[in-house]
Amino acid sequence: MTPRPGTMRLACMFSSILLFGAAGLLLFISLQDPTELAPQQVPGMKLNIRAQQPHTDLQPGTSQDGDLKVPSSDRVTRDLSTRVPRSLHLQVPDQPRPHPKRLRQRRRRLLIKKMPAAVAIGTNGSSETFLRPGPRALDSHWVSLHRSQQERKRVMREACAKYRASSSRRAITPRHVSRIFVEDRHRVLYCEVPKAGCSNWKRVLMVLAGLASSTADIQHNTVHYGSALRRLDTFDRQGILHRLSTYTKMLFVREPFERLVSAFRDKFEHPNSYYHPVFGKAILARYRANASREALRTGSGVRFPEFVQYLLDVHRPVGMDIHWDHVSRLCSPCLIDYDFVGKFESMEVDANFFLRLIHAPRNLTFPRFKDRHSQEARTTARITHRYFAQLSALQRQRAYDFYYMDYLMFNYSRPFADLH
């Protein structure tokens, strides 16, 4: 049977269409950028990667005397590098969709643009993982800061293991956490060390908590005499243990002799309605021969050697004060495993690094202003040496022995060559 001419034409047209379609598909595939064939995330959408819930060995409990029990081998938190985050939130910023023509040009040129990888640095007390952008110019700086934190904590733990081994077996009591301030929104615990930037740190915590819009707006009396920030010891046992095991715990320290001189200048070289009558009068009565009646009445005019005599006297006429007490007593670093150890000497770098770790607002930075006596120069190493030059070599040695654990624990060098 001979096919009709019309049928032949239809078959030829159909075959031609198939051939042209196949050729077009091959051409499209050859021009397609392979990297764009993978599924892409919608701009502005969050990619949640769920990780395993971190395991903590801390079991809430109490001893017979009401202490909060922490087993000896179970640290409250783990090292920055080993903490498993609860969830990893990778935020892809919103971007405009490219024009189809530009997209084709980009394909033809085979231009592959990759966004910098996000680098995660875990904080062992926080519930999130800190994500930073990955430009190579910043990598070495962030790695250096991270390693510095690891080294500071290593030195602190080794000092505790060597000299305070029994501390790890003690129970945490409310007294041990009485200097720790709580900021629940960003899950931060801050141990206050006076004369090591504590006023400005409390301002920062108040801004983080939404209690103020700027650190510059918060007055000194509001910082120290208000009740805006809660202390950890005001919570019940369960609340204390929960925050110790899940919040990011940090403290800032300062060279001990420098901190001591800073406290003396602040409390005794300026009018003070508390320290002069309470400490000044007792110090002058005990350590100044032939003190005038006016000095005994007001407690003003205490000299630095007299103040050091009081400090080193095991039978002090008046008790210890937080402004010159040991950091090891204020913050119990051998009992509480702090996640972040900052130093006053590198305050701006350390503080702003910490704020990035906890996802603080980008416009919040650590304030630089001096809280009190702003016209007076800050206490420096040079000023500190001038004050300690008023002491005998024996007094300097005894003062160094007094703060020896702070020097050792926070890796400060001997301030005078004749100290041992």
Side-chain angles (χ1 to χ4, degrees), residues 373-388:
H373 318 304
S374 57
Q375 303 304 316
E376 186 177 79
R378 291 185 184 274
T379 302
T380 61
R382 179 174 296 182
I383 291 175
T384 299
H385 275 246
R386 191 168 72 235
Y387 277 80
F388 271 83

PDB file of all heavy atoms in Angstrom, residues 373-388:
ATOM      1  N   HIS A 373      35.629  60.090  88.230  1.00  0.00           N
ATOM      2  CA  HIS A 373      36.827  60.940  88.177  1.00  0.00           C
ATOM      3  C   HIS A 373      37.382  60.958  86.754  1.00  0.00           C
ATOM      4  O   HIS A 373      38.553  60.636  86.500  1.00  0.00           O
ATOM      5  CB  HIS A 373      37.880  60.441  89.163  1.00  0.00           C
ATOM      6  CG  HIS A 373      37.325  60.021  90.496  1.00  0.00           C
ATOM      7  ND1 HIS A 373      36.569  60.873  91.285  1.00  0.00           N
ATOM      8  CD2 HIS A 373      37.387  58.839  91.167  1.00  0.00           C
ATOM      9  CE1 HIS A 373      36.206  60.234  92.397  1.00  0.00           C
ATOM     10  NE2 HIS A 373      36.684  59.010  92.336  1.00  0.00           N
ATOM     11  N   SER A 374      36.520  61.336  85.827  1.00  0.00           N
ATOM     12  CA  SER A 374      36.863  61.239  84.408  1.00  0.00           C
ATOM     13  C   SER A 374      38.033  62.130  84.009  1.00  0.00           C
ATOM     14  O   SER A 374      38.690  61.878  82.995  1.00  0.00           O
ATOM     15  CB  SER A 374      35.631  61.585  83.553  1.00  0.00           C
ATOM     16  OG  SER A 374      35.145  62.879  83.877  1.00  0.00           O
ATOM     17  N   GLN A 375      38.300  63.187  84.792  1.00  0.00           N
ATOM     18  CA  GLN A 375      39.413  64.078  84.468  1.00  0.00           C
ATOM     19  C   GLN A 375      40.751  63.519  84.940  1.00  0.00           C
ATOM     20  O   GLN A 375      41.803  64.051  84.578  1.00  0.00           O
ATOM     21  CB  GLN A 375      39.174  65.460  85.105  1.00  0.00           C
ATOM     22  CG  GLN A 375      37.867  66.122  84.700  1.00  0.00           C
ATOM     23  CD  GLN A 375      37.736  66.266  83.195  1.00  0.00           C
ATOM     24  OE1 GLN A 375      38.675  66.656  82.513  1.00  0.00           O
ATOM     25  NE2 GLN A 375      36.551  65.947  82.669  1.00  0.00           N
ATOM     26  N   GLU A 376      40.715  62.487  85.714  1.00  0.00           N
ATOM     27  CA  GLU A 376      41.931  61.905  86.268  1.00  0.00           C
ATOM     28  C   GLU A 376      42.424  60.772  85.377  1.00  0.00           C
ATOM     29  O   GLU A 376      41.640  60.012  84.814  1.00  0.00           O
ATOM     30  CB  GLU A 376      41.636  61.370  87.674  1.00  0.00           C
ATOM     31  CG  GLU A 376      42.839  60.869  88.433  1.00  0.00           C
ATOM     32  CD  GLU A 376      42.447  60.436  89.845  1.00  0.00           C
ATOM     33  OE1 GLU A 376      41.907  59.322  89.976  1.00  0.00           O
ATOM     34  OE2 GLU A 376      42.659  61.202  90.791  1.00  0.00           O
ATOM     35  N   ALA A 377      43.734  60.649  85.236  1.00  0.00           N
ATOM     36  CA  ALA A 377      44.316  59.621  84.382  1.00  0.00           C
ATOM     37  C   ALA A 377      43.994  58.230  84.942  1.00  0.00           C
ATOM     38  O   ALA A 377      43.944  58.026  86.157  1.00  0.00           O
ATOM     39  CB  ALA A 377      45.825  59.802  84.291  1.00  0.00           C
ATOM     40  N   ARG A 378      43.784  57.295  84.059  1.00  0.00           N
ATOM     41  CA  ARG A 378      43.569  55.913  84.481  1.00  0.00           C
ATOM     42  C   ARG A 378      44.819  55.377  85.154  1.00  0.00           C
ATOM     43  O   ARG A 378      45.938  55.796  84.862  1.00  0.00           O
ATOM     44  CB  ARG A 378      43.229  55.030  83.280  1.00  0.00           C
ATOM     45  CG  ARG A 378      41.873  55.293  82.661  1.00  0.00           C
ATOM     46  CD  ARG A 378      41.599  54.271  81.566  1.00  0.00           C
ATOM     47  NE  ARG A 378      40.354  54.525  80.874  1.00  0.00           N
ATOM     48  CZ  ARG A 378      39.158  54.093  81.259  1.00  0.00           C
ATOM     49  NH1 ARG A 378      39.058  53.374  82.360  1.00  0.00           N
ATOM     50  NH2 ARG A 378      38.076  54.373  80.561  1.00  0.00           N
ATOM     51  N   THR A 379      44.621  54.427  86.031  1.00  0.00           N
ATOM     52  CA  THR A 379      45.752  53.798  86.709  1.00  0.00           C
ATOM     53  C   THR A 379      46.486  52.894  85.728  1.00  0.00           C
ATOM     54  O   THR A 379      45.903  51.948  85.198  1.00  0.00           O
ATOM     55  CB  THR A 379      45.271  52.978  87.918  1.00  0.00           C
ATOM     56  OG1 THR A 379      44.564  53.840  88.812  1.00  0.00           O
ATOM     57  CG2 THR A 379      46.449  52.350  88.649  1.00  0.00           C
ATOM     58  N   THR A 380      47.738  53.217  85.480  1.00  0.00           N
ATOM     59  CA  THR A 380      48.563  52.459  84.545  1.00  0.00           C
ATOM     60  C   THR A 380      49.669  51.736  85.303  1.00  0.00           C
ATOM     61  O   THR A 380      49.825  51.897  86.522  1.00  0.00           O
ATOM     62  CB  THR A 380      49.188  53.403  83.515  1.00  0.00           C
ATOM     63  OG1 THR A 380      50.018  54.350  84.211  1.00  0.00           O
ATOM     64  CG2 THR A 380      48.113  54.148  82.722  1.00  0.00           C
ATOM     65  N   ALA A 381      50.476  50.968  84.578  1.00  0.00           N
ATOM     66  CA  ALA A 381      51.609  50.275  85.197  1.00  0.00           C
ATOM     67  C   ALA A 381      52.605  51.281  85.768  1.00  0.00           C
ATOM     68  O   ALA A 381      53.182  51.053  86.838  1.00  0.00           O
ATOM     69  CB  ALA A 381      52.286  49.372  84.170  1.00  0.00           C
ATOM     70  N   ARG A 382      52.802  52.392  85.075  1.00  0.00           N
ATOM     71  CA  ARG A 382      53.742  53.405  85.562  1.00  0.00           C
ATOM     72  C   ARG A 382      53.253  54.015  86.875  1.00  0.00           C
ATOM     73  O   ARG A 382      54.023  54.183  87.831  1.00  0.00           O
ATOM     74  CB  ARG A 382      53.931  54.493  84.506  1.00  0.00           C
ATOM     75  CG  ARG A 382      54.862  55.608  84.933  1.00  0.00           C
ATOM     76  CD  ARG A 382      55.122  56.589  83.803  1.00  0.00           C
ATOM     77  NE  ARG A 382      55.827  55.934  82.702  1.00  0.00           N
ATOM     78  CZ  ARG A 382      56.221  56.565  81.589  1.00  0.00           C
ATOM     79  NH1 ARG A 382      55.937  57.855  81.437  1.00  0.00           N
ATOM     80  NH2 ARG A 382      56.871  55.918  80.655  1.00  0.00           N
ATOM     81  N   ILE A 383      51.965  54.358  86.932  1.00  0.00           N
ATOM     82  CA  ILE A 383      51.408  54.917  88.170  1.00  0.00           C
ATOM     83  C   ILE A 383      51.470  53.878  89.281  1.00  0.00           C
ATOM     84  O   ILE A 383      51.796  54.199  90.436  1.00  0.00           O
ATOM     85  CB  ILE A 383      49.954  55.383  87.922  1.00  0.00           C
ATOM     86  CG1 ILE A 383      49.941  56.604  86.995  1.00  0.00           C
ATOM     87  CG2 ILE A 383      49.251  55.706  89.240  1.00  0.00           C
ATOM     88  CD1 ILE A 383      48.545  57.063  86.603  1.00  0.00           C
ATOM     89  N   THR A 384      51.188  52.641  88.966  1.00  0.00           N
ATOM     90  CA  THR A 384      51.248  51.565  89.965  1.00  0.00           C
ATOM     91  C   THR A 384      52.653  51.433  90.551  1.00  0.00           C
ATOM     92  O   THR A 384      52.816  51.304  91.775  1.00  0.00           O
ATOM     93  CB  THR A 384      50.814  50.235  89.331  1.00  0.00           C
ATOM     94  OG1 THR A 384      49.465  50.366  88.864  1.00  0.00           O
ATOM     95  CG2 THR A 384      50.899  49.092  90.331  1.00  0.00           C
ATOM     96  N   HIS A 385      53.674  51.486  89.728  1.00  0.00           N
ATOM     97  CA  HIS A 385      55.053  51.386  90.217  1.00  0.00           C
ATOM     98  C   HIS A 385      55.386  52.563  91.133  1.00  0.00           C
ATOM     99  O   HIS A 385      56.142  52.388  92.105  1.00  0.00           O
ATOM    100  CB  HIS A 385      56.019  51.332  89.030  1.00  0.00           C
ATOM    101  CG  HIS A 385      56.212  49.954  88.491  1.00  0.00           C
ATOM    102  ND1 HIS A 385      57.410  49.285  88.551  1.00  0.00           N
ATOM    103  CD2 HIS A 385      55.335  49.092  87.889  1.00  0.00           C
ATOM    104  CE1 HIS A 385      57.284  48.090  88.008  1.00  0.00           C
ATOM    105  NE2 HIS A 385      56.030  47.949  87.600  1.00  0.00           N
ATOM    106  N   ARG A 386      54.837  53.714  90.827  1.00  0.00           N
ATOM    107  CA  ARG A 386      55.107  54.875  91.677  1.00  0.00           C
ATOM    108  C   ARG A 386      54.532  54.679  93.078  1.00  0.00           C
ATOM    109  O   ARG A 386      55.156  55.055  94.074  1.00  0.00           O
ATOM    110  CB  ARG A 386      54.520  56.130  91.026  1.00  0.00           C
ATOM    111  CG  ARG A 386      54.979  57.424  91.688  1.00  0.00           C
ATOM    112  CD  ARG A 386      54.622  58.637  90.866  1.00  0.00           C
ATOM    113  NE  ARG A 386      53.197  58.919  90.889  1.00  0.00           N
ATOM    114  CZ  ARG A 386      52.453  59.034  89.798  1.00  0.00           C
ATOM    115  NH1 ARG A 386      52.984  58.868  88.606  1.00  0.00           N
ATOM    116  NH2 ARG A 386      51.162  59.315  89.897  1.00  0.00           N
ATOM    117  N   TYR A 387      53.366  54.093  93.176  1.00  0.00           N
ATOM    118  CA  TYR A 387      52.772  53.836  94.492  1.00  0.00           C
ATOM    119  C   TYR A 387      53.537  52.744  95.237  1.00  0.00           C
ATOM    120  O   TYR A 387      53.803  52.865  96.435  1.00  0.00           O
ATOM    121  CB  TYR A 387      51.297  53.443  94.347  1.00  0.00           C
ATOM    122  CG  TYR A 387      50.369  54.629  94.222  1.00  0.00           C
ATOM    123  CD1 TYR A 387      50.217  55.303  93.010  1.00  0.00           C
ATOM    124  CD2 TYR A 387      49.650  55.095  95.321  1.00  0.00           C
ATOM    125  CE1 TYR A 387      49.369  56.393  92.902  1.00  0.00           C
ATOM    126  CE2 TYR A 387      48.800  56.181  95.218  1.00  0.00           C
ATOM    127  CZ  TYR A 387      48.672  56.835  94.009  1.00  0.00           C
ATOM    128  OH  TYR A 387      47.838  57.937  93.899  1.00  0.00           O
ATOM    129  N   PHE A 388      53.886  51.682  94.540  1.00  0.00           N
ATOM    130  CA  PHE A 388      54.579  50.582  95.207  1.00  0.00           C
ATOM    131  C   PHE A 388      56.018  50.923  95.555  1.00  0.00           C
ATOM    132  O   PHE A 388      56.629  50.230  96.388  1.00  0.00           O
ATOM    133  CB  PHE A 388      54.512  49.313  94.344  1.00  0.00           C
ATOM    134  CG  PHE A 388      53.296  48.485  94.617  1.00  0.00           C
ATOM    135  CD1 PHE A 388      52.080  48.778  94.011  1.00  0.00           C
ATOM    136  CD2 PHE A 388      53.344  47.421  95.505  1.00  0.00           C
ATOM    137  CE1 PHE A 388      50.948  48.030  94.278  1.00  0.00           C
ATOM    138  CE2 PHE A 388      52.216  46.654  95.785  1.00  0.00           C
ATOM    139  CZ  PHE A 388      51.019  46.963  95.173  1.00  0.00           C
TER     140      PHE A 388
END
